[in-house]
Amino acid sequence: MTTKYERVIERLREYRKYMVSRQRAAHIQRMEEDAVKLSEIHNLDLERILVAVCAHDLFRDVKGEKLLKIAKIWKIKVTQEEKSFPLLLHGKVASEFLKRHFDVKDQEILDAVAFHTSGMATDSRIVKALVVLDTLEHGRNFPGVDALRKCAKRSLDDGYKEVIKNKIKYALDNDFVVLLKSVETWNYMKGVFEDEIR
Ligand SMILES: [Fe+2]
Ligand SMILES: [Fe+2]
């Protein structure tokens, strides 16, 4: 790889060594491996996806209070859900970090990182690929994971839709909070556009 983001990816891999736990680093590494395959199957821009993969969980092992502090300093808008569960901020903080420290301006990469937990109402294949890779990387094991993997291999759009559905179902089944963005994503895929939801 000798293109635009080669150096950014290398530096993000360096940051990984001291910013996240070993298990988290292994999760990101597995996503990198799967990203190569998924990009081949769906003809995606691997380099942009690798930037998103390498950045997405860099702040996942930072404490919630600290994420809230960083969000305040960097003027990140914090939702009610994030106030209640500050760890949810790890994606938005990582996205802002990419922008500030690596001068990444690619909005699809920034969105993918910011909303990798919830998903977002979008047609961006970068966003979809990151959510799919994060949920279905080959170390994950949960009921239905193989069917979801097959689905994502056949179609990135269908894979994304099923992963979002699974996230919402999982939250309901476990009596967890359902993320508004996930619901918005689901409705978007059912033909309801963002400005019609609000
Ligand atoms: Fe994450
Ligand atoms: Fe992740």
Side-chain angles (χ1 to χ4, degrees):
M1 224 186 294
T2 51
T3 36
K4 199 176 168 190
Y5 291 118
E6 187 182 6
R7 186 78 189 107
V8 172
I9 294 166
E10 273 172 23
R11 286 173 63 206
L12 288 168
R13 286 183 182 135
E14 284 299 313
Y15 273 94
R16 185 191 311 170
K17 291 178 188 162
Y18 59 89
M19 283 182 74
V20 302
S21 69
R22 284 171 74 131
Q23 297 96 303
R24 192 88 54 207
H27 157 67
I28 300 169
Q29 178 57 37
R30 287 192 296 269
M31 282 174 68
E32 282 202 49
E33 292 160 21
D34 291 353
V36 176
K37 292 178 197 160
L38 197 73
S39 301
E40 269 172 26
I41 295 170
H42 297 304
N43 195 22
L44 306 168
D45 187 339
L46 176 61
E47 206 187 30
R48 291 165 75 207
I49 290 174
L50 283 180
V51 173
V53 165
C54 290
H56 87 290
D57 269 347
L58 275 188
F59 289 81
R60 182 61 182 77
D61 293 306
V62 172
K63 285 201 172 70
E65 313 135 48
K66 207 162 186 181
L67 289 173
L68 281 169
K69 275 185 198 160
I70 300 171
K72 199 171 177 190
I73 294 164
W74 283 351
K75 297 188 170 55
I76 294 169
K77 204 173 154 244
V78 179
T79 65
Q80 280 307 325
E81 290 163 351
E82 290 156 351
K83 274 179 198 154
S84 302
F85 305 99
L87 275 182
L88 287 170
L89 276 168
H90 74 275
K92 283 188 187 170
V93 168
S95 177
E96 192 63 30
F97 177 72
L98 259 191
K99 205 197 284 181
R100 287 172 180 257
H101 288 264
F102 294 88
D103 202 28
V104 171
K105 294 184 177 82
D106 184 321
Q107 197 55 46
E108 284 185 68
I109 297 176
L110 297 173
D111 283 345
V113 172
F115 301 110
H116 74 266
T117 306
S118 58
M120 70 179 283
T122 183
D123 298 318
S124 162
R125 283 156 37 98
I126 304 285
V127 173
K128 291 182 181 187
L130 187 65
V131 171
V132 163
L133 288 165
D134 188 31
T135 311
L136 305 179
E137 56 94 340
H138 61 276
R140 298 271 199 210
N141 189 11
F142 57 87
V145 70
D146 283 330
L148 287 173
R149 283 185 186 126
K150 274 184 197 150
C151 180
K153 263 188 201 168
R154 280 196 306 268
S155 153
L156 183 63
D157 291 341
D158 291 349
Y160 183 65
K161 186 178 172 214
E162 291 305 312
V163 163
I164 295 297
K165 187 199 273 184
N166 191 265
K167 278 175 182 283
I168 296 170
K169 278 167 85 176
Y170 180 82
L172 291 173
D173 287 347
N174 289 281
D175 213 17
F176 293 159
V177 161
V178 180
L179 300 178
L180 281 177
K181 270 263 185 243
S182 300
V183 175
E184 202 174 281
T185 306
W186 176 255
N187 289 349
Y188 179 78
M189 289 183 293
K190 296 304 250 171
V192 180
F193 296 100
E194 236 176 315
D195 54 345
E196 293 170 21
I197 295 171
R198 295 217 175 89

